[in-house]
Amino acid sequence: MRSDSVNKGTARSPHRSLFKAMGFIDEEFNRPLIGIAVARSEIVPGHLHLDTIAKAAADGVRMAGGVPVQFPVIGVCDGIAMGHEGMRYSLVTRELIADSIECMVMAHGFDAVIYIPNCDKIVPGMLMAAARLNLPGIFISGGPMLAGRRGGKALTLTTMFEAVGAVGAGKMDKAELAALEDAACPGCGSCSGMFTANSMNCVTEALGMALPGNGTIPAVMAERLRLAKKTGLLVLDVLKKDIRPQTIMTEAAFKNALALDMALGCSTNTALHLPAVAHEAGFKLDLELLNRISAVTPNLCKLAPAGSAAIEDLHAAGGIPGVLKELAKKKLIDLEARTVYGSLAHALEGAENLNPAIIRPIENPYSATGGLAALKGNLAPEGCVVKRSAVAPNMLKHEGPARIFDAEEAAFDAIMGSRIKAGDVIVIRYEGPRGGPGMKEMLGPTGALAGMGLDDKVALITDGRFSGATKGAAIGHVSPEAADGGPIGLLQEGDLIAIDIEGRSINVKLSEAELARRKEGWKPLPPKVKSGYLARYAGQVSSASTGAIFRE
């Protein structure tokens, strides 16, 4: 075992003395040492309760004969970081999380690892670490938050960002805003819609790195604790059988994950994170593959923000196994793909679609194609991404004048100041991985547009990205980004932009000669950040089209 390197033999007597300083006894040195990477903190609602999940997982480890050892992992709450300088520090933590877990695991000789994430960047960061380390491991998330309730209506975090726009438009008073504020987020867990955190936790099931239920069992249910104990028990079996993440996270597994993604209508951020995880697993996952799978995979679910259902409703309807069972009817997933508990076929044993109103039967989908789409054209030669399932039908094809903003804050001020009109195409640039730096999520502007009733009248494109809670014709990840000289940086106020989501195209109505002329005179904006981790990140990060991974 790897732990022999830190606790066996005469030469390791000093090491054992340090273990004994923490209460270890000799008998524990003869058992597997299981690291528990837990991102518990008191600043992220989705992570507030992870100590209880970690304890349950540790109980399972001890029942199976292992020795559990917890260590901490950082995590940013995207909702709290949204709309200000803090959002620059969200995506960048993904790499920090992967690197820090690598350091902790390699330095301390763990035999296997249980990964306990919940929210946006923490899940992919841990998946990247698992693929890179390639040590036996398994995931158990903290689970989704219950939906809020007011007047019989389900509420999510999206409700609050849209309410800000409604107040700005005079459609809601501040007393109602305060009442919604008290009700929207009723307790611990990842925010209750099919936002990035829940998208990634559901996708982890399809990847085969977690037990069924990982993505949908609500945080507050005892079923979540039972799943954590089962995870702790299972990790010893994974270790005994030497099941490695790279034997699970294969190309077939990622295709399964993308198929589930399309059926659920997940966050556009999955198109940023799955390529990064695949890169760590040793192969390339590009936007062309996303479109190929989207073309044959129907959209079966309309969860918030695309619809009114929350993750708890998906769980009650049969969860991810219920969705996979529908996809299996048309052989859209590989049931032989390996998982930490056998093959993906085992997840379908006893699976049912208990509510066809939440999980549409595959014979009656919302649409014949998937919930995400990658677009290309002279405005995004390397591609960009939109959550097609959350776009109003009338906005699937749109042409309008560009309204140019070189920062999110300027665009938000224009929206709240009623300077955006129906038909406009808002362009927010210099917010990409390098230009941001950090590729901020922009739920503030999209939420304000929705609250003002403009989400089905205005398009928004950016080299930044959007929260999974965003709805409307919000097109992100435009690549190359403005800071790299991409065409989005050459746009001028009033340029006509043509968007065809079903046709997978996005173009500015300018000739190649005109774009070339503008490129000759183009100069990038000065860096927004010149020191610290963000400046180092900007110097290392690659395009969003490759998952915003670090350059080799």
Side-chain angles (χ1 to χ4, degrees):
M1 294 191 294
R2 289 189 72 251
S3 56
D4 290 351
S5 65
V6 297
N7 63 24
K8 289 292 192 300
T10 303
R12 296 296 178 256
S13 182
H15 305 63
R16 290 192 296 275
S17 72
L18 292 170
F19 277 102
K20 289 179 177 180
M22 296 180 284
F24 280 68
I25 60 176
D26 289 333
E27 287 79 1
E28 289 178 300
F29 299 136
N30 296 316
R31 298 183 179 190
L33 191 64
I34 309 300
I36 300 180
V38 57
R40 197 264 173 179
S41 74
E42 295 183 349
I43 193 60
V44 185
H47 290 203
L48 184 66
H49 65 304
L50 292 190
D51 54 341
T52 65
I53 304 296
K55 181 183 182 301
D59 288 343
V61 169
R62 288 204 180 277
M63 283 190 282
V67 179
V69 180
Q70 295 183 33
F71 62 89
V73 177
I74 64 167
V76 165
C77 177
D78 279 21
I80 293 174
M82 194 75 65
H84 57 87
E85 184 69 14
M87 183 42 72
R88 299 191 196 283
Y89 289 88
S90 173
L91 178 62
V92 303
T93 63
R94 190 186 69 183
E95 271 56 35
L96 283 175
I97 289 164
D99 291 349
S100 62
I101 291 174
E102 176 191 356
C103 291
M104 290 295 289
V105 171
M106 296 305 293
H108 298 106
F110 293 115
D111 297 304
V113 186
I114 296 175
Y115 300 89
I116 306 181
N118 210 23
C119 292
D120 296 27
K121 251 45 81 260
I122 299 87
V123 185
M126 287 191 177
L127 283 168
M128 290 167 67
R132 183 190 303 173
L133 289 165
N134 201 30
L135 292 171
I138 187 169
F139 278 66
I140 170 65
S141 78
M145 184 185 294
L146 295 176
R149 300 282 169 181
R150 176 167 166 77
K153 181 182 177 182
L155 310 175
T156 71
L157 184 64
T158 304
T159 307
M160 295 311 306
F161 280 92
E162 292 179 0
V164 171
V167 170
K171 295 181 178 182
M172 181 184 293
D173 61 31
K174 290 188 177 180
E176 177 62 13
L177 179 69
L180 289 174
E181 181 182 312
D182 288 342
C185 299
C188 65
S190 47
C191 296
S192 57
M194 188 50 77
F195 311 149
T196 304
N198 293 322
S199 294
M200 289 304 302
N201 283 320
C202 290
V203 159
T204 301
E205 282 190 51
L207 278 175
M209 287 299 296
L211 284 165
N214 178 72
T216 61
I217 298 171
V220 295
M221 291 179 67
E223 187 181 357
R224 173 65 55 180
L225 295 179
R226 296 198 298 269
L227 190 73
K229 287 183 181 179
K230 290 178 181 178
T231 299
L233 283 166
L234 183 58
V235 76
L236 271 296
D237 188 58
V238 170
L239 175 61
K240 181 179 178 181
K241 294 177 179 176
D242 196 31
I243 300 172
R244 305 285 178 132
Q246 289 185 21
T247 66
I248 293 174
M249 288 193 278
T250 62
E251 186 173 355
F254 280 96
K255 287 180 178 178
N256 284 339
L258 283 172
L260 177 70
D261 191 331
M262 298 306 156
L264 291 174
C266 289
S267 164
T268 51
N269 280 318
T270 60
L272 191 69
H273 298 319
L274 285 175
V277 179
H279 174 75
E280 295 288 353
F283 58 89
K284 184 178 180 181
L285 189 159
D286 58 26
L287 295 181
E288 294 299 329
L289 178 61
L290 182 150
N291 269 346
R292 289 200 301 274
I293 291 177
S294 179
V296 299
T297 308
N299 179 209
L300 304 180
C301 300
K302 286 278 188 182
L303 302 160
S308 59
I311 301 298
E312 65 197 77
D313 300 314
L314 176 60
H315 181 63
I320 300 310
V323 179
L324 293 175
K325 189 167 186 176
E326 293 294 340
L327 295 176
K329 290 178 181 178
K330 292 194 175 181
K331 299 182 179 179
L332 294 173
I333 56 170
D334 182 353
L335 294 176
E336 298 305 311
R338 195 173 186 182
T339 72
V340 287
Y341 52 85
S343 70
L344 200 60
H346 290 99
L348 272 62
E349 294 175 357
E352 294 183 79
N353 181 352
L354 299 171
N355 188 345
I358 300 297
I359 304 173
R360 284 274 186 98
I362 201 162
E363 300 83 7
N364 181 34
Y366 285 103
S367 67
T369 56
L372 296 187
L375 317 182
K376 282 191 174 182
N378 68 356
L379 187 49
E382 294 178 6
C384 55
V385 183
V386 62
K387 188 169 183 172
R388 191 197 61 76
S389 61
V391 179
N394 66 293
M395 290 298 294
L396 291 172
K397 196 168 187 176
H398 179 75
E399 182 175 311
R403 302 295 309 280
I404 308 297
F405 302 94
D406 288 339
E408 175 196 10
E409 292 81 1
F412 183 78
D413 289 345
I415 294 167
M416 295 299 288
S418 300
R419 299 196 300 276
I420 300 299
K421 307 301 181 187
D424 285 348
V425 178
I426 301 169
V427 177
I428 304 178
R429 61 192 183 186
Y430 290 99
E431 292 288 12
R434 282 191 61 223
M439 201 179 184
K440 292 193 294 185
E441 281 188 347
M442 301 186 197
L443 183 54
T446 59
L449 287 171
M452 291 179 157
L454 289 173
D455 58 301
D456 62 348
K457 301 175 182 66
V458 171
L460 195 162
I461 68 172
T462 180
D463 52 8
R465 61 196 179 93
F466 295 109
S467 165
T470 286
K471 67 179 180 180
I475 300 167
H477 308 191
V478 172
S479 302
E481 62 176 293
D484 280 336
I488 191 172
L490 308 178
L491 294 177
Q492 296 176 4
E493 190 81 7
D495 286 342
L496 281 179
I497 295 174
I499 299 164
D500 184 354
I501 293 174
E502 300 290 30
R504 305 297 195 261
S505 68
I506 182 166
N507 291 284
V508 57
K509 291 198 164 183
L510 297 173
S511 67
E512 290 185 17
E514 174 61 14
L515 284 170
R517 185 190 68 78
R518 293 187 185 183
K519 183 66 180 285
E520 287 180 5
W522 172 81
K523 291 182 180 179
L525 292 180
K528 295 176 182 176
V529 178
K530 298 180 181 179
S531 62
Y533 178 61
L534 285 180
R536 297 200 304 275
Y537 180 88
Q540 292 179 277
V541 73
S542 68
S543 169
S545 64
T546 61
I549 59 175
F550 280 174
R551 302 177 196 274
E552 296 293 340

PDB file of all heavy atoms in Angstrom, residues 77-102:
ATOM      1  N   CYS A  77     -18.198  30.470  -3.105  1.00  0.00           N
ATOM      2  CA  CYS A  77     -19.629  30.487  -3.396  1.00  0.00           C
ATOM      3  C   CYS A  77     -19.876  31.440  -4.559  1.00  0.00           C
ATOM      4  O   CYS A  77     -19.724  32.660  -4.408  1.00  0.00           O
ATOM      5  CB  CYS A  77     -20.437  30.939  -2.181  1.00  0.00           C
ATOM      6  SG  CYS A  77     -22.214  31.068  -2.522  1.00  0.00           S
ATOM      7  N   ASP A  78     -20.246  30.901  -5.702  1.00  0.00           N
ATOM      8  CA  ASP A  78     -20.436  31.748  -6.879  1.00  0.00           C
ATOM      9  C   ASP A  78     -21.545  32.772  -6.678  1.00  0.00           C
ATOM     10  O   ASP A  78     -21.462  33.887  -7.205  1.00  0.00           O
ATOM     11  CB  ASP A  78     -20.758  30.880  -8.095  1.00  0.00           C
ATOM     12  CG  ASP A  78     -19.503  30.285  -8.710  1.00  0.00           C
ATOM     13  OD1 ASP A  78     -18.486  30.206  -8.012  1.00  0.00           O
ATOM     14  OD2 ASP A  78     -19.536  29.902  -9.897  1.00  0.00           O
ATOM     15  N   GLY A  79     -22.589  32.401  -5.940  1.00  0.00           N
ATOM     16  CA  GLY A  79     -23.680  33.345  -5.716  1.00  0.00           C
ATOM     17  C   GLY A  79     -23.221  34.556  -4.921  1.00  0.00           C
ATOM     18  O   GLY A  79     -23.548  35.695  -5.266  1.00  0.00           O
ATOM     19  N   ILE A  80     -22.452  34.330  -3.865  1.00  0.00           N
ATOM     20  CA  ILE A  80     -21.952  35.439  -3.047  1.00  0.00           C
ATOM     21  C   ILE A  80     -20.890  36.236  -3.805  1.00  0.00           C
ATOM     22  O   ILE A  80     -20.785  37.460  -3.662  1.00  0.00           O
ATOM     23  CB  ILE A  80     -21.409  34.910  -1.709  1.00  0.00           C
ATOM     24  CG1 ILE A  80     -22.561  34.339  -0.867  1.00  0.00           C
ATOM     25  CG2 ILE A  80     -20.684  36.008  -0.929  1.00  0.00           C
ATOM     26  CD1 ILE A  80     -22.127  33.664   0.414  1.00  0.00           C
ATOM     27  N   ALA A  81     -20.121  35.550  -4.660  1.00  0.00           N
ATOM     28  CA  ALA A  81     -19.067  36.226  -5.421  1.00  0.00           C
ATOM     29  C   ALA A  81     -19.604  36.965  -6.645  1.00  0.00           C
ATOM     30  O   ALA A  81     -18.884  37.753  -7.253  1.00  0.00           O
ATOM     31  CB  ALA A  81     -18.011  35.212  -5.863  1.00  0.00           C
ATOM     32  N   MET A  82     -20.855  36.715  -7.013  1.00  0.00           N
ATOM     33  CA  MET A  82     -21.423  37.225  -8.262  1.00  0.00           C
ATOM     34  C   MET A  82     -21.524  38.742  -8.309  1.00  0.00           C
ATOM     35  O   MET A  82     -21.894  39.386  -7.323  1.00  0.00           O
ATOM     36  CB  MET A  82     -22.827  36.619  -8.447  1.00  0.00           C
ATOM     37  CG  MET A  82     -23.415  36.786  -9.841  1.00  0.00           C
ATOM     38  SD  MET A  82     -22.649  35.678 -11.044  1.00  0.00           S
ATOM     39  CE  MET A  82     -23.174  34.075 -10.412  1.00  0.00           C
ATOM     40  N   GLY A  83     -21.167  39.314  -9.467  1.00  0.00           N
ATOM     41  CA  GLY A  83     -21.449  40.718  -9.731  1.00  0.00           C
ATOM     42  C   GLY A  83     -20.454  41.710  -9.180  1.00  0.00           C
ATOM     43  O   GLY A  83     -20.694  42.913  -9.225  1.00  0.00           O
ATOM     44  N   HIS A  84     -19.335  41.236  -8.651  1.00  0.00           N
ATOM     45  CA  HIS A  84     -18.308  42.158  -8.141  1.00  0.00           C
ATOM     46  C   HIS A  84     -16.933  41.515  -8.338  1.00  0.00           C
ATOM     47  O   HIS A  84     -16.798  40.472  -8.974  1.00  0.00           O
ATOM     48  CB  HIS A  84     -18.567  42.510  -6.672  1.00  0.00           C
ATOM     49  CG  HIS A  84     -18.639  41.324  -5.759  1.00  0.00           C
ATOM     50  ND1 HIS A  84     -17.528  40.771  -5.170  1.00  0.00           N
ATOM     51  CD2 HIS A  84     -19.691  40.571  -5.346  1.00  0.00           C
ATOM     52  CE1 HIS A  84     -17.881  39.744  -4.417  1.00  0.00           C
ATOM     53  NE2 HIS A  84     -19.197  39.603  -4.510  1.00  0.00           N
ATOM     54  N   GLU A  85     -15.922  42.130  -7.805  1.00  0.00           N
ATOM     55  CA  GLU A  85     -14.546  41.677  -8.002  1.00  0.00           C
ATOM     56  C   GLU A  85     -14.338  40.222  -7.603  1.00  0.00           C
ATOM     57  O   GLU A  85     -13.504  39.514  -8.182  1.00  0.00           O
ATOM     58  CB  GLU A  85     -13.597  42.582  -7.192  1.00  0.00           C
ATOM     59  CG  GLU A  85     -12.115  42.299  -7.373  1.00  0.00           C
ATOM     60  CD  GLU A  85     -11.600  42.666  -8.752  1.00  0.00           C
ATOM     61  OE1 GLU A  85     -12.312  43.372  -9.492  1.00  0.00           O
ATOM     62  OE2 GLU A  85     -10.479  42.249  -9.088  1.00  0.00           O
ATOM     63  N   GLY A  86     -15.135  39.754  -6.652  1.00  0.00           N
ATOM     64  CA  GLY A  86     -14.974  38.382  -6.178  1.00  0.00           C
ATOM     65  C   GLY A  86     -15.173  37.330  -7.249  1.00  0.00           C
ATOM     66  O   GLY A  86     -14.596  36.235  -7.161  1.00  0.00           O
ATOM     67  N   MET A  87     -15.982  37.629  -8.271  1.00  0.00           N
ATOM     68  CA  MET A  87     -16.241  36.622  -9.296  1.00  0.00           C
ATOM     69  C   MET A  87     -15.007  36.315 -10.134  1.00  0.00           C
ATOM     70  O   MET A  87     -14.931  35.258 -10.761  1.00  0.00           O
ATOM     71  CB  MET A  87     -17.406  37.073 -10.176  1.00  0.00           C
ATOM     72  CG  MET A  87     -17.831  36.080 -11.251  1.00  0.00           C
ATOM     73  SD  MET A  87     -17.908  34.340 -10.758  1.00  0.00           S
ATOM     74  CE  MET A  87     -19.356  34.317  -9.725  1.00  0.00           C
ATOM     75  N   ARG A  88     -14.022  37.199 -10.146  1.00  0.00           N
ATOM     76  CA  ARG A  88     -12.772  36.867 -10.835  1.00  0.00           C
ATOM     77  C   ARG A  88     -12.068  35.691 -10.156  1.00  0.00           C
ATOM     78  O   ARG A  88     -11.227  35.023 -10.768  1.00  0.00           O
ATOM     79  CB  ARG A  88     -11.822  38.064 -10.834  1.00  0.00           C
ATOM     80  CG  ARG A  88     -12.342  39.301 -11.523  1.00  0.00           C
ATOM     81  CD  ARG A  88     -11.228  40.330 -11.700  1.00  0.00           C
ATOM     82  NE  ARG A  88     -11.762  41.641 -12.009  1.00  0.00           N
ATOM     83  CZ  ARG A  88     -12.233  42.021 -13.188  1.00  0.00           C
ATOM     84  NH1 ARG A  88     -12.244  41.155 -14.178  1.00  0.00           N
ATOM     85  NH2 ARG A  88     -12.707  43.242 -13.364  1.00  0.00           N
ATOM     86  N   TYR A  89     -12.409  35.439  -8.913  1.00  0.00           N
ATOM     87  CA  TYR A  89     -11.692  34.435  -8.124  1.00  0.00           C
ATOM     88  C   TYR A  89     -12.428  33.100  -8.060  1.00  0.00           C
ATOM     89  O   TYR A  89     -12.057  32.233  -7.279  1.00  0.00           O
ATOM     90  CB  TYR A  89     -11.453  34.964  -6.710  1.00  0.00           C
ATOM     91  CG  TYR A  89     -10.420  36.055  -6.663  1.00  0.00           C
ATOM     92  CD1 TYR A  89     -10.777  37.383  -6.849  1.00  0.00           C
ATOM     93  CD2 TYR A  89      -9.076  35.753  -6.471  1.00  0.00           C
ATOM     94  CE1 TYR A  89      -9.824  38.395  -6.833  1.00  0.00           C
ATOM     95  CE2 TYR A  89      -8.115  36.745  -6.444  1.00  0.00           C
ATOM     96  CZ  TYR A  89      -8.497  38.068  -6.627  1.00  0.00           C
ATOM     97  OH  TYR A  89      -7.545  39.055  -6.615  1.00  0.00           O
ATOM     98  N   SER A  90     -13.435  32.910  -8.879  1.00  0.00           N
ATOM     99  CA  SER A  90     -14.197  31.666  -8.843  1.00  0.00           C
ATOM    100  C   SER A  90     -13.576  30.576  -9.713  1.00  0.00           C
ATOM    101  O   SER A  90     -13.062  29.581  -9.210  1.00  0.00           O
ATOM    102  CB  SER A  90     -15.642  31.930  -9.268  1.00  0.00           C
ATOM    103  OG  SER A  90     -16.348  30.722  -9.386  1.00  0.00           O
ATOM    104  N   LEU A  91     -13.608  30.753 -11.028  1.00  0.00           N
ATOM    105  CA  LEU A  91     -13.072  29.732 -11.930  1.00  0.00           C
ATOM    106  C   LEU A  91     -11.620  29.408 -11.615  1.00  0.00           C
ATOM    107  O   LEU A  91     -11.197  28.249 -11.700  1.00  0.00           O
ATOM    108  CB  LEU A  91     -13.202  30.190 -13.385  1.00  0.00           C
ATOM    109  CG  LEU A  91     -12.623  29.236 -14.432  1.00  0.00           C
ATOM    110  CD1 LEU A  91     -13.334  27.888 -14.415  1.00  0.00           C
ATOM    111  CD2 LEU A  91     -12.685  29.862 -15.830  1.00  0.00           C
ATOM    112  N   VAL A  92     -10.860  30.420 -11.229  1.00  0.00           N
ATOM    113  CA  VAL A  92      -9.425  30.220 -11.008  1.00  0.00           C
ATOM    114  C   VAL A  92      -9.147  29.246  -9.870  1.00  0.00           C
ATOM    115  O   VAL A  92      -8.058  28.667  -9.792  1.00  0.00           O
ATOM    116  CB  VAL A  92      -8.705  31.562 -10.756  1.00  0.00           C
ATOM    117  CG1 VAL A  92      -8.930  32.519 -11.912  1.00  0.00           C
ATOM    118  CG2 VAL A  92      -9.130  32.202  -9.445  1.00  0.00           C
ATOM    119  N   THR A  93     -10.142  29.041  -8.995  1.00  0.00           N
ATOM    120  CA  THR A  93      -9.917  28.098  -7.892  1.00  0.00           C
ATOM    121  C   THR A  93      -9.963  26.649  -8.349  1.00  0.00           C
ATOM    122  O   THR A  93      -9.491  25.768  -7.635  1.00  0.00           O
ATOM    123  CB  THR A  93     -10.960  28.291  -6.771  1.00  0.00           C
ATOM    124  OG1 THR A  93     -12.269  27.996  -7.282  1.00  0.00           O
ATOM    125  CG2 THR A  93     -10.917  29.689  -6.207  1.00  0.00           C
ATOM    126  N   ARG A  94     -10.533  26.407  -9.524  1.00  0.00           N
ATOM    127  CA  ARG A  94     -10.591  25.030 -10.028  1.00  0.00           C
ATOM    128  C   ARG A  94      -9.198  24.420 -10.106  1.00  0.00           C
ATOM    129  O   ARG A  94      -8.966  23.288  -9.661  1.00  0.00           O
ATOM    130  CB  ARG A  94     -11.258  25.026 -11.417  1.00  0.00           C
ATOM    131  CG  ARG A  94     -11.601  23.655 -11.953  1.00  0.00           C
ATOM    132  CD  ARG A  94     -12.126  23.744 -13.383  1.00  0.00           C
ATOM    133  NE  ARG A  94     -11.073  24.127 -14.315  1.00  0.00           N
ATOM    134  CZ  ARG A  94     -11.272  24.333 -15.614  1.00  0.00           C
ATOM    135  NH1 ARG A  94     -12.499  24.237 -16.141  1.00  0.00           N
ATOM    136  NH2 ARG A  94     -10.269  24.661 -16.412  1.00  0.00           N
ATOM    137  N   GLU A  95      -8.265  25.173 -10.659  1.00  0.00           N
ATOM    138  CA  GLU A  95      -6.888  24.695 -10.755  1.00  0.00           C
ATOM    139  C   GLU A  95      -6.213  24.615  -9.391  1.00  0.00           C
ATOM    140  O   GLU A  95      -5.443  23.689  -9.111  1.00  0.00           O
ATOM    141  CB  GLU A  95      -6.086  25.605 -11.697  1.00  0.00           C
ATOM    142  CG  GLU A  95      -6.110  25.223 -13.165  1.00  0.00           C
ATOM    143  CD  GLU A  95      -7.513  25.130 -13.763  1.00  0.00           C
ATOM    144  OE1 GLU A  95      -8.397  25.916 -13.374  1.00  0.00           O
ATOM    145  OE2 GLU A  95      -7.742  24.278 -14.623  1.00  0.00           O
ATOM    146  N   LEU A  96      -6.513  25.591  -8.518  1.00  0.00           N
ATOM    147  CA  LEU A  96      -5.958  25.553  -7.169  1.00  0.00           C
ATOM    148  C   LEU A  96      -6.431  24.316  -6.409  1.00  0.00           C
ATOM    149  O   LEU A  96      -5.656  23.673  -5.689  1.00  0.00           O
ATOM    150  CB  LEU A  96      -6.380  26.800  -6.391  1.00  0.00           C
ATOM    151  CG  LEU A  96      -5.657  28.114  -6.696  1.00  0.00           C
ATOM    152  CD1 LEU A  96      -6.306  29.244  -5.908  1.00  0.00           C
ATOM    153  CD2 LEU A  96      -4.180  28.017  -6.357  1.00  0.00           C
ATOM    154  N   ILE A  97      -7.704  23.980  -6.574  1.00  0.00           N
ATOM    155  CA  ILE A  97      -8.265  22.806  -5.903  1.00  0.00           C
ATOM    156  C   ILE A  97      -7.573  21.533  -6.376  1.00  0.00           C
ATOM    157  O   ILE A  97      -7.142  20.703  -5.564  1.00  0.00           O
ATOM    158  CB  ILE A  97      -9.791  22.740  -6.132  1.00  0.00           C
ATOM    159  CG1 ILE A  97     -10.477  23.841  -5.333  1.00  0.00           C
ATOM    160  CG2 ILE A  97     -10.347  21.370  -5.756  1.00  0.00           C
ATOM    161  CD1 ILE A  97     -11.903  24.125  -5.763  1.00  0.00           C
ATOM    162  N   ALA A  98      -7.457  21.381  -7.686  1.00  0.00           N
ATOM    163  CA  ALA A  98      -6.795  20.183  -8.220  1.00  0.00           C
ATOM    164  C   ALA A  98      -5.350  20.102  -7.747  1.00  0.00           C
ATOM    165  O   ALA A  98      -4.877  19.037  -7.314  1.00  0.00           O
ATOM    166  CB  ALA A  98      -6.865  20.194  -9.744  1.00  0.00           C
ATOM    167  N   ASP A  99      -4.650  21.223  -7.800  1.00  0.00           N
ATOM    168  CA  ASP A  99      -3.235  21.227  -7.402  1.00  0.00           C
ATOM    169  C   ASP A  99      -3.073  20.934  -5.916  1.00  0.00           C
ATOM    170  O   ASP A  99      -2.178  20.181  -5.505  1.00  0.00           O
ATOM    171  CB  ASP A  99      -2.598  22.586  -7.729  1.00  0.00           C
ATOM    172  CG  ASP A  99      -2.446  22.836  -9.219  1.00  0.00           C
ATOM    173  OD1 ASP A  99      -2.639  21.886 -10.004  1.00  0.00           O
ATOM    174  OD2 ASP A  99      -2.147  23.981  -9.600  1.00  0.00           O
ATOM    175  N   SER A 100      -3.935  21.533  -5.088  1.00  0.00           N
ATOM    176  CA  SER A 100      -3.766  21.367  -3.640  1.00  0.00           C
ATOM    177  C   SER A 100      -4.097  19.933  -3.210  1.00  0.00           C
ATOM    178  O   SER A 100      -3.442  19.390  -2.318  1.00  0.00           O
ATOM    179  CB  SER A 100      -4.630  22.368  -2.881  1.00  0.00           C
ATOM    180  OG  SER A 100      -6.009  22.165  -3.137  1.00  0.00           O
ATOM    181  N   ILE A 101      -5.100  19.323  -3.842  1.00  0.00           N
ATOM    182  CA  ILE A 101      -5.405  17.930  -3.517  1.00  0.00           C
ATOM    183  C   ILE A 101      -4.248  17.026  -3.938  1.00  0.00           C
ATOM    184  O   ILE A 101      -3.852  16.115  -3.194  1.00  0.00           O
ATOM    185  CB  ILE A 101      -6.719  17.486  -4.184  1.00  0.00           C
ATOM    186  CG1 ILE A 101      -7.899  18.211  -3.537  1.00  0.00           C
ATOM    187  CG2 ILE A 101      -6.908  15.969  -4.070  1.00  0.00           C
ATOM    188  CD1 ILE A 101      -9.231  17.962  -4.218  1.00  0.00           C
ATOM    189  N   GLU A 102      -3.694  17.274  -5.109  1.00  0.00           N
ATOM    190  CA  GLU A 102      -2.514  16.507  -5.544  1.00  0.00           C
ATOM    191  C   GLU A 102      -1.410  16.603  -4.488  1.00  0.00           C
ATOM    192  O   GLU A 102      -0.804  15.584  -4.105  1.00  0.00           O
ATOM    193  CB  GLU A 102      -2.010  17.039  -6.886  1.00  0.00           C
ATOM    194  CG  GLU A 102      -0.730  16.371  -7.356  1.00  0.00           C
ATOM    195  CD  GLU A 102      -0.080  17.060  -8.548  1.00  0.00           C
ATOM    196  OE1 GLU A 102      -0.658  18.039  -9.075  1.00  0.00           O
ATOM    197  OE2 GLU A 102       1.023  16.634  -8.940  1.00  0.00           O
TER     198      GLU A 102
END
